Amino acid sequence: MRKLTLAAIAAVSVIGAVGVAHAVTPTTALKASVTPSKKGTTKKPANVKLSVELITQPKPGEPAFATRSTVVHFDKNLKFGSKYLKTCSAAQVQADETKCPRGSKVGGGSATGMALGLTENLTVTAYNGPGGNKLELLVNGQSPLQIHSVIEGKLQSDSGKFGKKLVVAIPETLQQPAPGAYATLTDFRTTVKGTGSKKRPYIGLSGCAKKTLNYKSDFVFTDGTTSTASATSKCS
């Protein structure tokens, strides 16, 4: 978030450089699902579309804050085939996403941000990043701020009932667009899907334990406080 409107600049001037005075306790939630929900096999996972929504609802009267990082944990029956798709780097997505290779775009969504009492509606476009373990999320907004920023998620191995986790660090320019102006992403929705050159799915469903898939999200905020949310979705 870079260029503030006159209204936002005026608000910053009035508020001044406001820090986070005490721990924040927002309400957080996670929603996730796969479509279709019918499983495949370990050798041939079913090609599915994965939708994830992260929700952060500030409580009235609490100081402003932003999300510093998020980790999303995925059920071990979800298989990721990103190494089979074309890729586009974060630098290229930031500079000119229209020059990303055909087939590297894997989805998109929307987001809502709040800063200084102003609400920003954002579009999200997802690209398969290099190395077989990255997701580049291009966030664009027009009003009240001009926003064009890439959030990179890194896919890592997980444990227990989770097979993979996506570790996402929010860029500082999105956390705090101006001194004292913390921007809270209150809602972030992304849906991804794709098929690689070897007909391997970008998101595959290989199994279905007790007809349920498990998800979890860990939030870290700018004051150091944390929050966790869990969700399940049906499978068959």
Side-chain angles (χ1 to χ4, degrees):
M1 299 183 181
R2 292 169 184 160
K3 296 180 181 178
L4 290 172
T5 62
L6 291 177
I9 292 173
V12 170
S13 299
V14 172
I15 294 175
V18 180
V20 179
H22 59 271
V24 295
T25 57
T27 300
T28 57
L30 166 67
K31 297 179 181 180
S33 63
V34 295
T35 309
S37 60
K38 187 174 178 59
K39 68 180 180 179
T41 64
T42 300
K43 291 185 177 181
K44 192 176 180 180
N47 190 7
V48 298
K49 179 169 60 177
L50 173 64
S51 298
V52 175
E53 180 179 5
L54 300 170
I55 301 167
T56 302
Q57 186 61 52
K59 292 183 178 177
E62 290 193 335
F65 69 94
T67 301
R68 182 184 298 163
S69 64
T70 304
V71 179
V72 183
H73 306 260
F74 301 103
D75 193 281
K76 62 183 179 181
N77 288 299
L78 286 171
K79 306 301 179 183
F80 295 81
S82 51
K83 65 181 179 180
Y84 299 103
L85 274 74
K86 296 286 187 180
T87 66
C88 193
S89 68
Q92 182 60 65
V93 174
Q94 179 72 51
D96 186 356
E97 72 276 14
T98 65
K99 293 184 179 180
C100 286
R102 184 176 181 179
S104 62
K105 181 180 175 181
V106 293
S110 63
T112 304
M114 291 181 61
L116 301 171
L118 303 174
T119 299
E120 177 107 18
N121 294 316
L122 306 153
T123 61
V124 180
T125 310
Y127 295 87
N128 185 40
N133 64 343
K134 295 183 180 69
L135 181 66
E136 316 298 350
L137 298 167
L138 176 62
V139 180
N140 279 311
Q142 299 299 322
S143 177
L145 311 176
Q146 290 292 324
I147 300 169
H148 182 81
S149 185
V150 176
I151 302 174
E152 183 175 76
K154 295 182 179 180
L155 198 63
Q156 301 176 4
S157 296
D158 213 337
S159 60
K161 59 187 177 182
F162 304 111
K164 293 289 185 179
K165 59 185 176 183
L166 188 69
V167 180
V168 182
I170 309 300
E172 290 186 4
T173 53
L174 286 177
Q175 294 181 37
Q176 196 171 1
Y182 289 95
T184 306
L185 285 171
T186 57
D187 188 89
F188 199 98
R189 306 182 186 197
T190 310
T191 297
V192 292
K193 180 183 179 181
T195 302
S197 59
K198 296 182 180 180
K199 303 302 179 184
R200 291 292 297 273
Y202 182 64
I203 307 292
L205 180 59
S206 65
C208 181
K210 298 181 180 180
K211 298 185 178 182
T212 300
L213 298 174
N214 296 282
Y215 314 86
K216 187 177 76 166
S217 59
D218 304 317
F219 302 82
V220 179
F221 305 113
T222 43
D223 69 339
T225 57
T226 63
S227 181
T228 299
S230 298
T232 60
S233 68
K234 295 181 180 179
C235 60
S236 61

